[in-house]
C-alpha cells in the first residue's frame, strides 16, 4: 500500500521551487503517489524522507530488462493479482526458441520470420519479442556465432545453455544487449552468477519447488546479482497455474523479496501439440508469466496470442480507443446508410460487428469521444452535437456519402435537435439504443 | 539453509453454488446423465487451496435450422447434420459435448418467425436424439423468447433444462415457466457485477431456487472486449468466494457464438498475411477465448467447432489434474 | 373485527361443517369408503385440503379425518353480550368452511354430480392449453368445475410474470344484467381472471351473463364454477395450487401457502347481492389467503389492515355509487376492488395519434413548424404534481378545463396549466418533485412535441404535423397517465390529469402551484442529516469504478449532482434491488467529521473491503471516494490553509498547477485520497460542506463559472457563515493561477482561511 499524496507532501520540502518540473510540491506529491514520477526528481528531499518514501515505493516484483534499448522487453513491477484492481503494467515477451545446430538457411529464415513479424491491431503495432537461443551442439563457437546472428537482427535474446563456457560465448557475442541467461541451478549457480555479474545480464534461476528457488535466489543475490527471473520447474497446466499464482501472491501480498522476480515459462515443454502450446501460452499471458518461450513460430497462433496479451494488459481505467474517422463496413456505396458512434473500442467493435452482421454495407463515422462509450461520453460532454458535427465536417463525409441522413445512437436522441442546428443540411435519424438492434433497424431503413 | 516460504493459501468463506442440469428418469426426466457445475471454494483450478468438485462443462451450440451466416469453416466441420437438428444433436454428443445448447433461431421474427408449436417439436426431437441435458435459448427477441420458451418449458417438463436468456427487462415469464415445469434459467447481464447480482435477486425473489439459476455475464471475444468479461468474471468469482451470496451462481459464457462473430474467425478474404492460416487462427480464436474465460471462472462454456471442443476438453482434463 | 360478521361467519361455518359430515356419512354408507374422490385433470388431490392439512384425499374414507380436523377449528357462535376479539375465531371458522366445502365437492364428484349441470351453458372451447378439455363441454350444459392443471400452469405463468394481475372471485348475482356484463368486461379489460359462482335467490351471475350472450370459458378468461356458494372453493383451490406449483411449496405448509397468496396472487372476492351466513363463512376463509372482500350491499366493514394487505372487508352499496347507469357504477366498483387489493395497472402503450418513444426526446419544434406553444415569451405554462387521497383521484380521468387552441392563430401562444394528481399506497409528499421532474421526459417522447423547463417556466410546443395528425392538449394527459403508471407503478396507483386553459382557473392554480414550489424549497432547505434515520447509497457507477460507493444524505447530494437524498429514496421505492439502498445511520461515531457506524459498514462491504471508514463532512480524514462523475473537485491547498473548488466546466489552470482533467485522474477511481474529493456543486451550499475543516470559509479559490452561475446562493452561504464579503475574498482563474498569486490575493483581501487553524 503506497502513501497518499498528502502523506508524501508532508515529507517534501514544501518550497514550491518548481525544479522537479511541477508547479507545486503538492502536485509533485500527487504524481509520486500515482507512481508517475521518480522521487529523484526532487533535488532537496531529505535523506530521512527518502528512506521512508523509497521503502514505500519499491516495487514488489523487480523490473527486469532484456534486449537492446530499441526493442527491450521489460517485465516485472506488477502491483496487483487481478487486472481490475489496477492494471497489469508490463506484458510478457514472446521468445521463439531456435537451436544452434539448425542448418544455416533454416536458422536464418526462422530468425527473419520472427524479426520481421509485425501487425497492427486497434492502432497498436504487435510484434514478436525475441529469440531464445538454445545450445544443442554443445559448442561454444556455434553458440556464439548464432548469438551474434540474432544480435545483428536486433532482437532481444534468451541464452539457453548449461555449460558455462558455452554460455560465456553467447554472452560475449551479445555484449550490451542484456540477454537473459538461462539458467542458474543448484549445481552451476555460482559460475552463472559470476557470468551474470560480469556481463551485466539478468539471470534466470531454475529450482524445483518454491523453497529451493528462494534459497537459490538469496545465494545469487549474495553474489551481487539483482536482476533475476524465476523458473519454478513446472511445465503443465495445473502445476504451473498453482506455482505462478503462489509466486505472484508471495510477491504482492507478502512482499516476499526472495521470490519478487518475474517468471519465465516454456509452454512447448508442456505438450507435443502445437495448438495446445499456444493455449498454454495463453494461460501464461493471463496468469503471471514475464517471458514466454515458444517452440513453434506460426502467425496463426502468434496473432491471437498477441491479441490476448493486448486485452489482458489493457488498463481497465483507460479504455482502448479507436482512431476517429469514417470507416467502411462491407463495401458501402454513396447511397449506403451512415451511422455515427464513439471511439471507445468496445463500442466501436459492437457497432461495427452488428452492422457487419446485418449484411448491409454502411458507413460508420467514429467521432472522437476520448475513448468513452456513448452514454458516458454524452454525460461528460464528449459526444455532443458539436463534436459529432465536427466529425462530420472534418472526416470528408460529405464527399463519400451522397445522401444527407445520419443515424445517431438511440441513447443520445436528446441531442437530435441540437445536431440539426449544427448540421442544417442533414436529416438526423435516431437509431436503436443497443447495438444488437442495429441489424433490424438497418433492414427496416433499407427497405 | 532451507528457506521458509510463507503460505499464501487464502481462507475463502464462500463457495459457488452447485447447479445440476438435466434429470434422470428417476427424477422425472429422461436424460441419460446429469451435469453438475459449481461447488468450488477457490479460484479456478487452484487445487492447492480448495476443492473444485466439478469440472467445467462444455455445451455445443446447435440451431433449429441450418445457420446461413456461419463461417464456412464451421459449416464444413459439421457438414450434413446442419440440416437436421436431431442429427446435429447426436453428432454433438459424439464429438464430446457435455450439454446440448439449442438455439431456436428460426423463431426470430426476421428469420422465420416459427411458432411455439414448432419449438415444441424441435425440443422433442432433440430430447429424443440425445441423452445429454439441454440448454435452450430463444431467438433473443423478447416476445418470441417468451412464446417459444414457455412452449419448450411445457414440452420438456421435468427435464431440468436451462432456459435462456433472462434479462433485466424480460425475465418474469421465463422464470415463471421454469417454476411451472421444473427447469433452470440463465440470467444474462451486460458485463457488470451489480447488474448480475441484481438479476439474481430479482429471479430468486420470484421464488426460483438459487440452485436453478445460472448467470451469463455477457461474453466478449478475444480482441472484442474479452478483457471486460474476464475482469467481471474474476470480480464475481472473488465476491462469491468472499461470501456474497448473490454472486455465487455458476457462470455460463457463449464463447463459440462470440468468437465466430469476430472477423478473424469468420472470413479470410482481404485479411493481412500476418493473421496466418485461417483454420488454425479461427480455432485458436474460439479456444483462446474459451481458455481465458475458464481461467476467469466459467463453469459452462458454449462452443461451436468440434475440434475446438476437443482441445478444450483436453485442457480441462489437465487443469482438473491436481498438481 | 365486526361482531356481526363474526357471528354470521361462525354460524355459517358450523352449519356447513355439519352438513358436510352428514353428506359424507350418507355417501360412505351408499358408495363405500373406498370410492375414489378425484377432481378431474388435476394432480393435487383436493388442493385446499392438501394445502391446509397435508392430507392426500383419494377416497371417501379419507375425508373423515378432514371433517374431524374442520370440527376442531370451529368455535361457538359468540353471545350477544360477550365482547371478544373475534378475528382469530372467525378466521379459523373460515378455514373449517373451506375444508367442508371442498369435502362436499369431493363427495359430489364421487357421486358424479360435478361439474354442475347448467342447461344451456356453452363454454368457449378450450384451446391447445387444455388438449383434453372437459368432454362434457362439447355437449354443453355444465359448469367448468376445477381448473385443470394445464390451464393452471398456463395462467399461472401469466400471474407470476405479471401479465395477468390477479383474479376476481365473484359470488352471487349483480344488480342488473347490465351491471353484470359491465363488471366482467371491466375485469377482462384489465386482464384479470374472472371466476363465477353463487347465487342470490337462485339467480346467479352465470345466468345473467348467459342471458346477455357473454361467452364464458378458458378462452375468455371467465370461468363459471357453479351456481352455489360452495363452488367458489375452486377459486381457492386454484390459489392453493398456484402456491404449490410456483411457490415451490408442498401440502401442509399452510402458513407459507397463505403468505404466498397474500403477497403474490392479487385476488379478491366480489360479493354481489345479499350476503348470507355461508357467504360470510366462505369470505372468512378467503381472508386467510389475504384476499379482501368487497360487497355491493350494505354490510359492516373491516378496515384495519393485517391479514390482508390493505382493508379486509369493504362495503360499497351499489345504489350509493356515483354514476348515471349501472354500467358506470359497475366500473367504479371494479376500480375500488383493484385499489383494495393493490392491483397494479399495466399500461404498455401510450394512446396518442403521433409516434411515441425515447427516440423523439431531443426533437425540436421550430417556430416555422409550430402550430401552438404554451409558455415561452408570449404565454405562461406550469406543471404541478401533487399527491392526493385515493378517493380524490379518479384513475385515468383526463380533463381539459377551458378552450382548446382552435381559435389561436397558427404559431400563437396560450396559457396552460398541467395539474397531475396521484394517489398511491407508497406515495409520499416528498416524491412530488421527483415525479414532477419526469413530466419533461415523458412529454418529450411524443413526436412533434417539445418540452423545455419545469415548474412555472414550462414551455411546450406542438408542431403543425402533430396537430394535423390529431394531437390535442388532452393527449398530454394520456401521455402522463400512461407513463406514470408504466414507470412509477410501484409508487403510484392512481393518476388523474387536469389540463387548465380557462384563464381564471389557470391563475388560481398557478398561484397554488407557486405556493407548493415555495413550500418544497423550504422543506428541502430544512431537511438535515440529523432529521433522518437513514442515508442512501448510490452504486450506479460501480460498473466502471468497482469500489466506489456514494453515500447521499439530505445535506450532501451525490457527487454527480444528479441524485439528492429524495431522489435516492424514491429510486429505492421504485427499484428496491437497484443501486440506491437505504443505509441506516446507526451509532454516531463522530458528529464533527460526520462518521456513523452504518455508512462505515455499508461502504466497507460495498467497496469490497477497500474503504473502511468514511467521513461525511471532511476532506482531510477518510473523505468519500469518487467515481469520476463529479461536478467539481475540491482539493486542499496547504500553502493557503484552505481548499479550492474546480468545476468540470472550467478548462483553465488552477493554482496547484493542474487542470481539472489532470486532477480528475487523481481524484477518481474509488480510492480514498485525503486532501481531495469529488463533489456535487450544490454541496457547496450545505451547512455540512467540509464542516469538519471549518466549512465554506476554507474556500480560497473557486472556478469562475461557479461564482457566476451560483452567485446568489453562494452569497447567502457567505452571509450564513458570518463573512458577507467572503465571495470577493475568494480567488478565481482571473485573479490567481499560481500559488504565489493566490497567496498575494488572499493576503490583500484578508481571507479568513489564513488565520484559521492549520488544515493539517
Amino acid at each position: 500500500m503506497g502513501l497518499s499524496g498528502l502523506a508524501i507532501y508532508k515529507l517534501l520540502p514544501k518550497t514550491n521551487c518548481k525544479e522537479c518540473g511541477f508547479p507545486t510540491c503538492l502536485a509533485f506529491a500527487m504524481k509520486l503517489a500515482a507512481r508517475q514520477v521518480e522521487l529523484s526528481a526532487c533535488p532537496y528531499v531529505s535523506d530521512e524522507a527518502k528512506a521512508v518514501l523509497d521503502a514505500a515505493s519499491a516495487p514488489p516484483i523487480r523490473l527486469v530488462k532484456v534486449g537492446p534499448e530499441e526493442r527491450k522487453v521489460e517485465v516485472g513491477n506488477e502491483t496487483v493479482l487481478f487486472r481490475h484492481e489496477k492494471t497489469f503494467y508490463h506484458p510478457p515477451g514472446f521468445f521463439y526458441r531456435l537451436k544452434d545446430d539448425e542448418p544455416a538457411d533454416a536458422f536464418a529464415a526462422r530468425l527473419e520470420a520472427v524479426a520481421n513479424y509485425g501487425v497492427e491491431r486497434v492502432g497498436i503495432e504487435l510484434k514478436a519479442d525475441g529469440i531464445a537461443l538454445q545450445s544443442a551442439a554443445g559448442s561454444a563457437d556455434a553458440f556464439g556465432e548464432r548469438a551474434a546472428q540474432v544480435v545483428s537482427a536486433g532482437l532481444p535474446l534468451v541464452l539457453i545453455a548449461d555449460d558455462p563456457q558455452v554460455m560465456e560465448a553467447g554472452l560475449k557475442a551479445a555484449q550490451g544487449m542484456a540477454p537473459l541467461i538461462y539458467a542458474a541451478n543448484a549445481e552451476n549457480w555460482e559460475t552463472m552468477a559470476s557470468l551474470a555479474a560480469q556481463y551485466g545480464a539478468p539471470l534466470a534461476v531454475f529450482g524445483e519447488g518454491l523453497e529451493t528457488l528462494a534459497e537459490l535466489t538469496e545465494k545469487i543475490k549474495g553474489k551481487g546479482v539483482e536482476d533475476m527471473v524465476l523458473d519454478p520447474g513446472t511445465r503443465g497446466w495445473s502445476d504451473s497455474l498453482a506455482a505462478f499464482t503462489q509466486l505472484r501472491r508471495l510477491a504482492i501480498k507478502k512482499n516476499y523479496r526472495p521470490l519478487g522476480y518475474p517468471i519465465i515459462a516454456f509452454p512447448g515443454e508442456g505438450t507435443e501439440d502445437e495448438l495446445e502450446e499456444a493455449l498454454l501460452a495463453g494461460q501464461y499471458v493471463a496468469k503471471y508469466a514475464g517471458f514466454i518461450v515458444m517452440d513453434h513460430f506460426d502467425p496463426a497462433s502468434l496473432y491471437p496470442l498477441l491479441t490476448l496479451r493486448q486485452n489482458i494488459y489493457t488498463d481497465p481505467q483507460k479504455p482502448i480507443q479507436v482512431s476517429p474517422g469514417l470507416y467502411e463496413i462491407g463495401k458501402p456505396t454513396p447511397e449506403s446508410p451512415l451511422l455515427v458512434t464513439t471511439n471507445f473500442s468496445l463500442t466501436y467493435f459492437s457497432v461495427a460487428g452488428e452492422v457487419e452482421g446485418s449484411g448491409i454495407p454502411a458507413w460508420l463515422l467514429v467521432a472522437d469521444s476520448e475513448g468513452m462509450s456513448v452514454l458516458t461520453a454524452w454525460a461528460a460532454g464528449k459526444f455532443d452535437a458539436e463534436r459529432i458535427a465536427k466529425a462530420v465536417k472534418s472526416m470528408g463525409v460529405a464527399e463519400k456519402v451522397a445522401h444527407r441522413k445520419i443515424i445517431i445512437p438511440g441513447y443520445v436522441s436528446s441531442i437530435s435537435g441540437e445536431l440539426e442546428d449544427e448540421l442544417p443540411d442533414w436529416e438526423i435519424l435516431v437509431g436503436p439504443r443497443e447495438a444488437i438492434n442495429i441489424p433490424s433497424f438497418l433492414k427496416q431503413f433499407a427497405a | 539453509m532451507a528457506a521458509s516460504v510463507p503460505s499464501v493459501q487464502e481462507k475463502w468463506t464462500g463457495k459457488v453454488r452447485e447447479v445440476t442440469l438435466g434429470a434422470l428418469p428417476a427424477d422425472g426426466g429422461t436424460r441419460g446423465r446429469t451435469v453438475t457445475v459449481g461447488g468450488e471454494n477457490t479460484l479456478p483450478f487452484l487445487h492447492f487451496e480448495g476443492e473444485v468438485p466439478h469440472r467445467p462443462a462444455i455445451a455445443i451450440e446447435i440451431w433449429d435450422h441450418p445457420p446461413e451466416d456461419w463461417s464456412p469453416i464451421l459449416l464444413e466441420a459439421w457438414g450434413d447434420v446442419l440440416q437436421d437438428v436431431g442429427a446435429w444433436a447426436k453428432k454433438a454428443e459424439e464429438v464430446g459435448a457435455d450439454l446440448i445448447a439449442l438455439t431456436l433461431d428460426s423463431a426470430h421474427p426476421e428469420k422465420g418467425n416459427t411458432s411455439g408449436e414448432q419449438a415444441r417439436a424441435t425440443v422433442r426431437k432433440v430430447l429424443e436424439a440425445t441423452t445429454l441435458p439441454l440448454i435452450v435459448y430463444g431467438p433473443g427477441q423478447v416476445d418470441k423468447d417468451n412464446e417459444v420458451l414457455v412452449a419448450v418449458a411445457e414440452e420438456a417438463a421435468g427435464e431440468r433444462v436451462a432456459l435462456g436468456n433472462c434479462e433485466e427487462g424480460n425475465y418474469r415469464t421465463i422464470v415463471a415457466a421454469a417454476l411451472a415445469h421444473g427447469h433452470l434459467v440463465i440470467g444474462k447481464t451486460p458485463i457488470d457485477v451489480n447488474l448480475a447480482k441484481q438479476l439474481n435477486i430479482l429471479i430468486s425473489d420470484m421464488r426460483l431456487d438459487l440452485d436453478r439459476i445460472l448467470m451469463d455475464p455477457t461474453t466478449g471475444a478475444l480482441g472484442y472486449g474479452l478483457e471486460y468479461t474476464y475482469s467481471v468474471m474474476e470480480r464475481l468469482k472473488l465476491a462469491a468466494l468472499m461470501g456474497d451470496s448473490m454472486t455465487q451462481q455458476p457462470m455460463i459464457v457463449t464463447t463459440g457464438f462470440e468468437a465466430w462473430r469476430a472477423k478473424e474467425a469468420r472470413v479470410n478474404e482481404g485479411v493481412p498475411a500476418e493473421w496466418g492460416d485461417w483454420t488454425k487462427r479461427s480455432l485458436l480464436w474460439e479456444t483462446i477465448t474459451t481458455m481465458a474465460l475458464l481461467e476467469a471462472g466459467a463453469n459452462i462454456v458454449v462452443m461451436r467447432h468440434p475440434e475446438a471442443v476437443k482441445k478444450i476438453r483436453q485442457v480441462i482434463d489437465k487443469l482438473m489434474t491436481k498438481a | 373485527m365486526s361482531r356481526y360478521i363474526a357471528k354470521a361467519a361462525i354460524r355459517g361455518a358450523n352449519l356447513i361443517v355439519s352438513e358436510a359430515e352428514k353428506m359424507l356419512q350418507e355417501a360412505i354408507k351408499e358408495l363405500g369408503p373406498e370410492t375414489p374422490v378425484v377432481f378431474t385433470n388435476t394432480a393435487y388431490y383436493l388442493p385446499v385440503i392438501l394445502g391446509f392439512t397435508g392430507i392426500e384425499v383419494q377416497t371417501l374414507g379419507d375425508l373423515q379425518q378432514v371433517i374431524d380436523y374442520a370440527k376442531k377449528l370451529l368455535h361457538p357462535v359468540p353471545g350477544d353480550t360477550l365482547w371478544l376479539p373475534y378475528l382469530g375465531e372467525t378466521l379459523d371458522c373460515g378455514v373449517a368452511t373451506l375444508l367442508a366445502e371442498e369435502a362436499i365437492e369431493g363427495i359430489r364428484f364421487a357421486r358424479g354430480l360435478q361439474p354442475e349441470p347448467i342447461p344451456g351453458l356453452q363454454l368457449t372451447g378450450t384451446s391447445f392449453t387444455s388438449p383434453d378439455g372437459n368432454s362434457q363441454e362439447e355437449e354443453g350444459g355444465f359448469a367448468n368445475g376445477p381448473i385443470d392443471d394445464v390451464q393452471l400452469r398456463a395462467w399461472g405463468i401469466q400471474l407470476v410474470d405479471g401479465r395477468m394481475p390477479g383474479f376476481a372471485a365473484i359470488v352471487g348475482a349483480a344488480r342488473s344484467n347490465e351491471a353484470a356484463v359491465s363488471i366482467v368486461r371491466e375485469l377482462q379489460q384489465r386482464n384479470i381472471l374472472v371466476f363465477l359462482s353463487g347465487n342470490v335467490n337462485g339467480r346467479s351471475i352465470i345466468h345473467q351473463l348467459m342471458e346477455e350472450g357473454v361467452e364464458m370459458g378458458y378462452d375468455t378468461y371467465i370461468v363459471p364454477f357453479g351456481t352455489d356458494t360452495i363452488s367458489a372453493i375452486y377459486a381457492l383451490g386454484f390459489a392453493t395450487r398456484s402456491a404449490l406449483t410456483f411457490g415451490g411449496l408442498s401440502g401442509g405448509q399452510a402458513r407459507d401457502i397463505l403468505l404466498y397468496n397474500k403477497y403474490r396472487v392479487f385476488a379478491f372476492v366480489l360479493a354481489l347481492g345479499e350476503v348470507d351466513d355461508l357467504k360470510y363463512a366462505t369470505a372468512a376463509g378467503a381472508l386467510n389467503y389475504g384476499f379482501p372482500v368487497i360487497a355491493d350491499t350494505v354490510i359492516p366493514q373491516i378496515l384495519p389492515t393485517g391479514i390482508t394487505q390493505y382493508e379486509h372487508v369493504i362495503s360499497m352499496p351499489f345504489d350509493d355509487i356515483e354514476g348515471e347507469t349501472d354500467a358506470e357504477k359497475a366500473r367504479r366498483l371494479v376500480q375500488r376492488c383493484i385499489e383494495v387489493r393493490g392491483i397494479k395497472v399495466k399500461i404498455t402503450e401510450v394512446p396518442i395519434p403521433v409516434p411515441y418513444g425515447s427516440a423523439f426526446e431531443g426533437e425540436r419544434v421550430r417556430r416555422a413548424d409550430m402550430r401552438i406553444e404554451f409558455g415561452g415569451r408570449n404565454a405562461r405554462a406550469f406543471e404541478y404534481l401533487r399527491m392526493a387521497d385515493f378517493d380524490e383521484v379518479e384513475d385515468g380521468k383526463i380533463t381539459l378545463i377551458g378552450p382548446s387552441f382552435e381559435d389561436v392563430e397558427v404559431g400563437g401562444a396560450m396559457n396552460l396549466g398541467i395539474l397531475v394528481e396521484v394517489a398511491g399506497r407508497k406515495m409520499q409528499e416528498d416524491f412530488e418533485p421527483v415525479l414532477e421532474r419526469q413530466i419533461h421526459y415523458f412529454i418529450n417522447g411524443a413526436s412533434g412535441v417539445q418540452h423545455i423547463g419545469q415548474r412555472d417556466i414550462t414551455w411546450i410546443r406542438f408542431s403543425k404535423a402533430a396537430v394535423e395528425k390529431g394531437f390535442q392538449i388532452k393527449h398530454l394527459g394520456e401521455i402522463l397517465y400512461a407513463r406514470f403508471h408504466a414507470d412509477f407503478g410501484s409508487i403510484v396507483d392512481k393518476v388523474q390529469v387536469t389540463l387548465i386553459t380557462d384563464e381564471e382557473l389557470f391563475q388560481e392554480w398557478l398561484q397554488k402551484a407557486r405556493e407548493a414550489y415555495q413550500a418544497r424549497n423550504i422543506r428541502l432547505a430544512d431537511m438535515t442529516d440529523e432529521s433522518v434515520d437513514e442515508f442512501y447509497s448510490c452504486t450506479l457507477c460501480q460498473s466502471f469504478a468497482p469500489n466506489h460507493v456514494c453515500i447521499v444524505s439530505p445535506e450532501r447530494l451525490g457527487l454527480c449532482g444528479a441524485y439528492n437524498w429524495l431522489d435516492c429514496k424514491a429510486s429505492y421505492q421504485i427499484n428496491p434491488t437497484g443501486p440506491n439502498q437505504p443505509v441506516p445511520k446507526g451509532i454516531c461515531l463522530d458528529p464533527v467529521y460526520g462518521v456513523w457506524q452504518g455508512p462505515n459498514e455499508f461502504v466497507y462491504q460495498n467497496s469490497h473491503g477497500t474503504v473502511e471508514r468514511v467521513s461525511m463532512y471532511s476532506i482531510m480524514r477518510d473523505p468519500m471516494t469518487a467515481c469520476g462523475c463529479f461536478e467539481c473537485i475540491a482539493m486542499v491547498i496547504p500553502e493557503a490553509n484552505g481548499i479550492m473548488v474546480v468545476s468540470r466546466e472550467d478548462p483553465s489552470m488552477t493554482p496547484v498547477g493542474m487542470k481539472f482533467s489532470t486532477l480528475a485522474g487523481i481524484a477518481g477511481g474509488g480510492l480514498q485520497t485525503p486532501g481531495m474529493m469529488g463533489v456535487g456543486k450544490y454541496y457547496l451550499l450545505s451547512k455540512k460542506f467540509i464542516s469538519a475543516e471549518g466549512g465554506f470559509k476554507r474556500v480560497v479559490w473557486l472556478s469562475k463559472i461557479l461564482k457566476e452561475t451560483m452567485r446568489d446562493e453562494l452569497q447567502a452561504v457567505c452571509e450564513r457563515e458570518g463573512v458577507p464579503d467572503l465571495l470577493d475574498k475568494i480567488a478565481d482563474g482571473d485573479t490567481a493561477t499560481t500559488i504565489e498569486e493566490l497567496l498575494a490575493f488572499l493576503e490583500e483581501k484578508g481571507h479568513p482561511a489564513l488565520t484559521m487553524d492549520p488544515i493539517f
Side-chain angles (χ1 to χ4, degrees), chain B residues 50-105:
Chain B
E51 294 298 317
V52 186
H54 306 291
R55 48 184 290 140
I58 303 171
I60 292 184
E61 181 184 346
I62 65 171
W63 280 21
D64 65 342
H65 62 167
E68 280 163 14
D69 55 350
W70 280 23
S71 167
I73 290 180
L74 282 171
L75 299 182
E76 195 190 326
W78 289 108
D80 287 345
V81 300
L82 297 175
Q83 306 302 318
D84 178 84
V85 69
W88 195 353
K90 202 178 282 221
K91 179 86 187 209
E93 181 169 357
E94 280 165 25
V95 302
D98 300 308
L99 300 161
I100 301 296
L102 167 66
T103 299
L104 298 170
D105 189 69

Side-chain angles (χ1 to χ4, degrees), chain B residues 117 120 150 154 168 172-173 176-177 179-181 191-194 197-198 201-202 204-207 235 239 242, chain C residues 128 150 153 156-157 160-163 245-249 256 260 264 539 542-543 546 575 577-579 606 608:
Chain B
E117 278 311 284
R120 280 170 193 272
V150 166
E154 193 174 306
E168 196 192 347
R172 304 187 65 94
T173 304
L179 277 167
H181 303 289
I191 320 195
D192 185 292
V193 171
N194 288 331
K197 265 176 85 165
Q198 187 181 359
I201 294 172
L202 292 172
S204 62
D205 273 355
M206 287 183 69
R207 300 184 71 111
R235 288 176 53 203
M242 283 186 229
Chain C
F128 72 89
V150 176
R153 287 207 169 79
I157 288 175
V160 174
D161 74 17
R163 275 177 292 168
T245 309
F246 293 94
L249 299 168
D256 291 333
Y260 179 90
R264 290 166 192 272
T539 50
Q542 285 204 345
S543 53
N575 183 2
T577 57
N606 289 280
H608 312 102

Side-chain angles (χ1 to χ4, degrees), chain A residues 132-144:
Chain A
L133 180 65
Q134 178 159 355
S135 161
S139 139
D141 290 350
F143 197 63

